[in-house]
Amino acid sequence: MEQEMPMVDIEAQANKKTEIEAPAIFKKANRPVTLKFEDVVYMIKINKGGLLKKSKNSEEKMILKGITGMVQPGEVLAMLGPSGSGKTTLLTALGGRLGGRLAGTITYNGKPFSNAMKRNTGFVTQDDVLYPHLTVTETLVFTALLRLPNSLSKEEKVQHAEAVITQLGLTKCINSIIGGERLRGISGGERKRVSIGQEMLINPSLLFLDEPTSGLDSTTAQRIVSTLWELSNGGRTVVMTIHQPSSRLFYMFHKVLLLSEGNPLYFGRGSEAVDYFSSIGYSPMVVMNPADFLLDLANGVSSDDSHEDQNKIKQTLVSAYKINLADKLKVELQELRSSQYQDGLDDKQFGKWSTAWWQQFSVLFTRGVKERKHQSFSGLKIGQVLVVAVLSGLLWWQSDDAHLQDKIGLLFFESGFWGFFPLFQAIFTFPHERRMLEKERSSGMYRLSSYFMSTVVADLPMELILPTVFVVITYWMAGLKSSFVNFVQTLVVLLLSVLVSQGLGLAIGATIMDQKSATILGSVIMLTFLLAGGFYVQHVPSFIAWIKYISISNYTYKLLIGSQYKPSETYPCNSKGGFCLVGEFPAIKQVGLSGQAIAVVALVIMLVGYRLMAYVALMRIGVTKKVE
């Protein structure tokens, strides 16, 4: 039968391959870890009220129902079960990434999860969260620079990245970009190996993987699991969830945990699973993949034609586990004496961060520029700005002071256009980066402050260069004051407005974290600011006039007018003298040429305040708590 395939040949082949390919620095784990988990229970609250009907009473649902097991160095534990069985929840809990109502005991070499353990644990999520425009080498080198300690030089960190590339068989695609949904890049199997490589850089003692073979063909899946088997052979502890492995993969697992609706149905050697279920009256009627047989049982489907009720089968299997395996497993855990553990991980040996703040900022800034330059300076965005600039210059071509209303109309248009444009660019920043931020922050790669500052600074080239080009084109075509001082004042005011609008976009995006909702909210806010900007409505009712005091457009419009005109200047009019004071022009008088310093201070306060709001909003983003 297929399920009786011997493991000897597989082990021999894997050992042979490891001796040839694995670099010396990755042959053995630094500090082997024994993972024990006893009676792990996890509960969540479910609100029974809908969108229109809120209920004060919430129902608690038990996701994990007393899971017990143990994985030792050199072993691969595979957690099997249908969707909704609790595999990912248990994996997240074992990886120290699950909060909430988690009960039971999880120990690592007899100790609870600690900062030292976090620094020696790798966690590969089901979805490969990678930057699409970076190459394989860039992805792993940036990760090495962030995660490896300062006891290693930059050159040594790069060598570690190159060693991982060699070990995982990625040498053929080192200069290929990762790619994404609309960007052709490396294959799915290579992308998965890059994700594993990011965790292997720290030479982890404990490696968790969530569905590492999901979406891959059988050959690629075999290659991934073979790599993981080799890693465990070096004294690492490997724990993974897997949905429906082939028989070849199944026999590479040292231990198997079968779950059904949060209940354990089997824990033990994979090669003994079929024999166990046969001993309690459930055996396959035909030669089949053992994993398929186990998943059928977890779904309450028996191989015979008895048409037994599915719930009854599940209850029978749960009871059989408690009778035949549960007590025996707990005895095995108790027999594992503390003296059997390898040297423990001491928190005192590890600082909270691997690298200094400035190093984190530098690496994240460089990575951010490389990744976002394709979006920031895309032909579409540059073309959009150039077309609007030239069109504006033609519409206001050499406008003179005799048409003062037209000139101030151009200034208000500039304040509006450069309010919306950077706002919508910034709104997408953090929602787009959320998954990456959650992944890297949960691994302790960097401080939130270094990430935030690097992201803000990396966006400055696009935020400042494009409006500068816009002003250079429009200013001279529209015939605004030819004095260099007036030009610089106009440019500085517009750039300050751009930075404030960017800050508002960052704050909205970080608070909402949903691109569609954030866009709608940003549109409403900016339109409100435009309406209260002093151009469309000059006689605003007092009960709503307060909006202008928080309007970016209002302060920008005031400063742009001030950059062109002084109260004592005149313009051609129909009065007896033929000239009138600019300050008395109705549209300008409403906004006022005084209070320029106050407007600058207001924009600077907004510049800092909006970014502080964005930073505070990002602080609430922690580790992803996914329940399967």
Side-chain angles (χ1 to χ4, degrees):
M1 293 178 65
E2 189 177 3
Q3 62 264 31
E4 294 178 356
M5 181 187 300
M7 294 186 62
V8 178
D9 293 338
I10 296 176
E11 293 182 3
Q13 293 174 6
N15 281 329
K16 182 178 180 180
K17 187 175 180 181
T18 303
E19 292 173 0
I20 295 175
E21 295 186 3
I25 59 173
F26 291 113
K27 282 186 177 180
K28 296 294 181 182
N30 290 331
R31 299 172 176 85
V33 172
T34 297
L35 170 64
K36 291 171 57 178
F37 47 101
E38 302 179 61
D39 296 322
V40 176
V41 175
Y42 183 67
M43 303 184 71
I44 60 172
K45 288 185 177 181
I46 301 177
N47 294 323
K48 303 182 72 173
L51 179 63
L52 300 178
K53 181 182 178 181
K54 294 185 178 180
S55 175
K56 295 182 180 180
N57 298 322
S58 59
E59 179 180 330
E60 287 192 332
K61 180 180 180 181
M62 187 177 291
I63 306 299
L64 301 177
K65 305 173 182 178
I67 313 296
T68 299
M70 175 182 62
V71 201
Q72 294 181 296
E75 292 183 337
V76 177
L77 168 64
M79 296 189 288
L80 279 70
S83 298
S85 61
K87 303 189 302 294
T88 298
T89 303
L90 179 58
L91 187 80
T92 307
L94 297 180
R97 301 187 175 204
L98 188 64
R101 301 193 62 180
L102 181 65
T105 304
I106 303 176
T107 60
Y108 311 80
N109 283 353
K111 299 180 180 179
F113 194 77
S114 62
N115 181 56
M117 193 65 244
K118 183 178 182 179
R119 294 273 294 276
N120 281 274
T121 299
F123 197 106
V124 181
T125 57
Q126 180 176 351
D127 299 322
D128 301 316
V129 184
L130 302 166
Y131 284 115
H133 291 95
L134 297 183
T135 65
V136 170
T137 300
E138 288 172 340
T139 299
L140 291 173
V141 167
F142 282 132
T143 304
L145 294 176
L146 288 169
R147 297 194 71 176
L148 294 179
N150 281 337
S151 57
L152 299 175
S153 66
K154 182 178 180 180
E155 291 73 20
E156 289 174 325
K157 293 181 181 182
V158 174
Q159 289 175 3
H160 273 65
E162 292 172 348
V164 168
I165 289 174
T166 302
Q167 183 184 23
L168 297 180
L170 294 169
T171 51
K172 294 182 179 179
C173 58
I174 55 175
N175 295 320
S176 301
I177 62 172
I178 299 297
E181 294 182 1
R182 299 181 182 178
L183 183 65
R184 186 175 180 84
I186 60 178
S187 67
E190 291 168 335
R191 191 176 294 113
K192 180 61 67 177
R193 277 181 279 165
V194 171
S195 296
I196 296 173
Q198 286 186 307
E199 304 305 315
M200 284 306 303
L201 282 167
I202 60 173
N203 193 18
S205 304
L206 185 57
L207 183 61
F208 296 96
L209 305 100
D210 190 10
E211 301 279 3
T213 62
S214 177
L216 303 179
D217 61 82
S218 59
T219 303
T220 304
Q222 169 76 16
R223 187 178 296 114
I224 294 293
V225 176
S226 295
T227 301
L228 298 174
W229 196 93
E230 294 172 8
L231 295 177
S232 70
N233 198 43
R236 296 175 186 84
T237 304
V238 179
V239 182
M240 72 173 77
T241 65
I242 193 164
H243 184 64
Q244 199 163 6
S246 66
S247 56
R248 288 193 302 171
L249 299 186
F250 183 83
Y251 283 107
M252 297 185 75
F253 305 141
H254 299 94
K255 290 181 178 178
V256 169
L257 171 60
L258 181 63
L259 297 174
S260 175
E261 298 178 354
N263 291 298
L265 302 185
Y266 175 77
F267 181 87
R269 294 186 61 85
S271 58
E272 300 172 358
V274 175
D275 293 337
Y276 164 74
F277 286 108
S278 297
S279 68
I280 59 174
Y282 295 94
S283 58
M285 302 299 294
V286 295
V287 177
M288 63 186 300
N289 179 358
D292 293 338
F293 171 65
L294 297 184
L295 287 174
D296 285 345
L297 292 178
N299 282 304
V301 178
S302 177
S303 298
D304 56 29
D305 298 327
S306 61
H307 301 291
E308 189 176 355
D309 181 69
Q310 293 183 358
N311 290 328
K312 185 177 180 181
I313 292 177
K314 293 178 183 178
Q315 293 173 1
T316 302
L317 294 174
V318 170
S319 300
Y321 173 86
K322 293 178 179 178
I323 295 173
N324 300 301
L325 297 178
D327 293 338
K328 179 182 177 182
L329 182 57
K330 290 183 178 181
V331 170
E332 291 180 3
L333 263 64
Q334 292 174 357
E335 289 178 349
L336 186 66
R337 299 186 301 273
S338 300
S339 59
Q340 291 179 277
Y341 295 131
Q342 303 291 333
D343 292 337
L345 298 173
D346 187 4
D347 262 353
K348 296 180 181 179
Q349 300 174 3
F350 299 90
K352 187 174 182 181
W353 308 105
S354 300
T355 52
W357 189 95
W358 179 253
Q359 290 175 297
Q360 295 172 8
F361 171 84
S362 178
V363 174
L364 291 170
F365 172 78
T366 306
R367 187 181 72 173
V369 170
K370 281 182 174 290
E371 172 59 26
R372 289 197 288 276
K373 67 181 180 181
H374 305 279
Q375 301 174 355
S376 300
F377 293 103
S378 67
L380 185 63
K381 291 181 181 178
I382 294 175
Q384 177 185 356
V385 172
L386 292 179
V387 168
V388 174
V390 172
L391 184 60
S392 300
L394 293 175
L395 286 172
W396 276 279
W397 178 262
Q398 297 301 312
S399 180
D400 53 31
D401 288 342
H403 304 88
L404 190 57
Q405 182 65 36
D406 289 347
K407 275 199 169 183
I408 64 174
L410 171 62
L411 299 177
F412 187 78
F413 169 75
E414 289 182 348
S415 70
F417 179 75
W418 288 106
F420 270 101
F421 193 85
L423 175 79
F424 287 122
Q425 300 300 319
I427 273 180
F428 299 124
T429 300
F430 294 127
H432 181 71
E433 294 252 327
R434 176 171 186 166
R435 292 171 61 205
M436 182 65 73
L437 180 60
E438 289 176 338
K439 170 191 170 183
E440 295 183 335
R441 286 276 292 157
S442 61
S443 298
M445 287 180 64
Y446 47 72
R447 300 167 176 84
L448 179 61
S449 57
S450 60
Y451 165 80
F452 182 80
M453 291 301 299
S454 67
T455 301
V456 171
V457 175
D459 286 337
L460 287 182
M462 185 275 293
E463 298 295 346
L464 299 181
I465 292 176
L466 292 183
T468 300
V469 172
F470 180 92
V471 172
V472 169
I473 295 174
T474 306
Y475 193 90
W476 307 109
M477 291 180 67
L480 297 176
K481 282 192 175 180
S482 58
S483 169
F484 181 73
V485 174
N486 293 105
F487 169 76
V488 171
Q489 286 180 343
T490 302
L491 178 60
V492 170
V493 169
L494 199 64
L495 293 181
L496 177 59
S497 172
V498 165
L499 293 178
V500 175
S501 297
Q502 181 200 34
L504 176 60
L506 293 174
I508 294 174
T511 302
I512 304 299
M513 275 299 176
D514 177 77
Q515 294 185 2
K516 185 176 181 180
S517 300
T519 302
I520 294 173
L521 179 60
S523 300
V524 172
I525 292 176
M526 190 53 68
L527 284 173
T528 303
F529 287 171
L530 282 175
L531 292 175
F535 183 80
Y536 295 117
V537 184
Q538 298 179 15
H539 303 287
V540 181
S542 58
F543 64 85
I544 201 173
W546 58 269
I547 295 179
K548 70 178 181 180
Y549 297 111
I550 60 172
S551 170
I552 300 174
S553 301
N554 175 60
Y555 294 117
T556 304
Y557 181 40
K558 176 191 283 287
L559 290 173
L560 286 175
I561 293 176
S563 70
Q564 293 295 307
Y565 303 104
K566 297 295 182 286
S568 59
E569 294 181 13
T570 60
Y571 69 97
C573 64
N574 295 326
S575 65
K576 294 180 180 181
F579 291 92
C580 300
L581 290 174
V582 170
E584 296 300 321
F585 187 75
I588 296 179
K589 184 177 181 180
Q590 177 65 27
V591 177
L593 290 173
S594 61
Q596 298 285 306
I598 295 177
V600 172
V601 171
L603 288 179
V604 171
I605 292 175
M606 292 181 185
L607 174 70
V608 177
Y610 286 142
R611 282 167 172 75
L612 286 177
M613 289 173 57
Y615 182 78
V616 171
L618 286 179
M619 292 175 66
R620 62 186 169 84
I621 297 179
V623 181
T624 305
K625 299 174 180 62
K626 177 181 176 184
V627 176
E628 179 193 340

